[in-house]
Amino acid sequence: MAEKQYKTAENMSANHAESAPAYFSVWDLHAYYGESYIVQGVSFNVHEGEILALLGRNGAGKTSTLRAIARLDDPMVTHGEIWLDHQHLHTMKAHEAAIAGLGLVPEDRRIIPGLTVEENLQLAQIVEPIGWSLERIYDLFPRLKERRKQEGITLSGGEQQMLSIARALARDIKVLLLDEPYEGLAPVIVDEIEKTLRIIKAQGITTILVEQNAVRALNLADRAVILDTGTVVYDGSAKEVLENETLRAEYLAI
C-alpha cells in the first residue's frame, strides 16, 4: 500500500505538539479491558460538522475507542487526551463529558422500560433542559411523534434507533457518537436513518460513526479512520477508501 495512505498516531502526536487542538481531537489514547491492551495509541481529529467513519475489522478496537472517548469505565483509559472545542474531556467523568457536549448512542440503544417515547425524551431534558425541543425533535422524527405515547421498548428496531438518537439530541450535544446504528435494520430503515444524520450534520453537529457496514458508512462520511489491532492505520477521505481496493481488502475485508 502506498505510504501516503497512512497517517499514524505517532505522526499525529508529533503534529499535536506544534498546533492547537482541532474542534474534536483524540491524542495518543490508550485503554485496557482487564489485562487486554485494546486501544494502543489512537489519535485523530474531527472538524466541526463533519461525519467521521471509525472503521476496522471485528476486534480492531472501534467500540472500545468510542467508549473510551465517552469516558465510560470500561475500557479503562490509562493515557491520552480528548479535546472538544478547547475543553479537555480526558479529566472528566462520563456524566461531565456528556454535559460538555458528548452524546453517545450505544449499540444496545438503552431505551428505558416502562417509559413512553415522550417520557424517554423528557427524561433527557430533565437532566439537561437546554437541548432540542420536543417540537424540533418531532419535526426530524415524525414517526416518533406518531408513537409518542407508546412504550419505547415496544417500538421496532429502527424506531428504537431513532428514539436513541433523538434522546441524545434532546440534550445540548456537540458531538454525536454512534455505535453500530445500522445493526439488524432493513436497508429502507438505514436509508431513513442516514437521511436523518445528514440533517443533523447540516445543523452543525459533529458525528463519529462506528459501523460494520463499511460501504454504507463510507458513502455517508466525509472522512474515515481505520483501526487495526487498536492502532490507526489510515486517516483520510472516505472517498479514497471507497476507491482503493487494496486498502479495503486489507483492513475492511470488502
Side-chain angles (χ1 to χ4, degrees):
M1 195 182 309
E3 186 175 347
K4 73 181 183 65
Q5 292 164 341
Y6 290 84
K7 184 182 287 185
T8 65
E10 182 179 353
N11 299 144
M12 294 186 69
S13 293
N15 292 339
H16 177 44
E18 301 172 2
S19 62
Y23 181 74
F24 185 83
S25 297
V26 176
W27 297 104
D28 199 23
L29 190 65
H30 298 254
Y32 287 75
Y33 273 112
E35 296 183 358
S36 298
Y37 185 20
I38 304 298
V39 182
Q40 303 182 22
V42 168
S43 298
F44 58 84
N45 294 326
V46 192
H47 303 297
E48 187 172 6
E50 187 173 58
I51 297 177
L52 177 80
L54 186 60
L55 305 175
R57 296 174 183 265
N58 286 333
K62 305 181 300 297
T63 292
S64 296
T65 297
L66 204 69
R67 291 178 66 84
I69 289 170
R71 310 299 297 142
L72 300 182
D73 290 335
D74 57 330
M76 182 180 69
V77 176
T78 59
H79 182 78
E81 300 179 18
I82 305 165
W83 293 84
L84 170 56
D85 197 15
H86 304 287
Q87 300 176 85
H88 43 88
L89 305 188
H90 46 278
T91 61
M92 297 183 182
K93 301 293 186 182
H95 71 279
E96 294 171 329
I99 292 171
L102 287 186
L104 174 65
V105 177
E107 184 179 0
D108 60 5
R109 298 161 191 159
R110 305 283 175 90
I111 306 303
I112 301 174
L115 298 185
T116 66
V117 167
E118 194 154 292
E119 287 168 341
N120 268 273
L121 296 173
Q122 288 173 331
L123 183 62
Q125 292 180 323
I126 289 171
V127 174
E128 191 175 350
I130 56 175
W132 287 23
S133 67
L134 284 179
E135 181 180 3
R136 187 179 178 190
I137 290 170
Y138 287 148
D139 283 343
L140 185 60
F141 297 97
R143 194 177 302 190
L144 294 184
K145 184 176 183 179
E146 294 171 4
R147 292 158 173 72
R148 63 188 183 277
K149 300 303 181 185
Q150 184 175 331
E151 188 176 358
I153 60 171
T154 67
L155 298 176
S156 69
E159 290 164 349
Q160 286 190 31
Q161 189 63 266
M162 293 175 193
L163 177 56
S164 191
I165 295 171
R167 189 175 55 192
L169 295 172
R171 299 188 298 102
D172 185 27
I173 67 166
K174 298 177 180 179
V175 177
L176 180 63
L177 307 173
L178 294 169
D179 190 9
E180 303 286 0
Y182 306 159
E183 179 69 26
L185 302 184
V188 65
I189 302 300
V190 174
D191 288 343
E192 193 169 342
I193 289 173
E194 287 183 341
K195 179 181 177 182
T196 300
L197 293 178
R198 289 189 175 95
I199 294 172
I200 291 170
K201 170 183 168 67
Q203 301 292 320
I205 293 175
T206 302
T207 299
I208 300 176
L209 169 68
V210 167
E211 179 52 53
Q212 280 296 326
N213 191 334
V215 172
R216 293 212 65 145
L218 289 165
N219 277 302
L220 175 69
D222 302 292
R223 289 180 42 249
V225 167
I226 300 177
L227 302 182
D228 185 50
T229 59
T231 63
V232 175
V233 294
Y234 174 88
D235 183 339
S237 75
K239 182 180 179 182
E240 182 179 2
V241 181
L242 284 169
E243 294 176 349
N244 191 310
E245 184 176 346
T246 303
L247 180 64
R248 288 187 285 107
E250 184 169 355
Y251 292 113
L252 302 176
I254 57 174

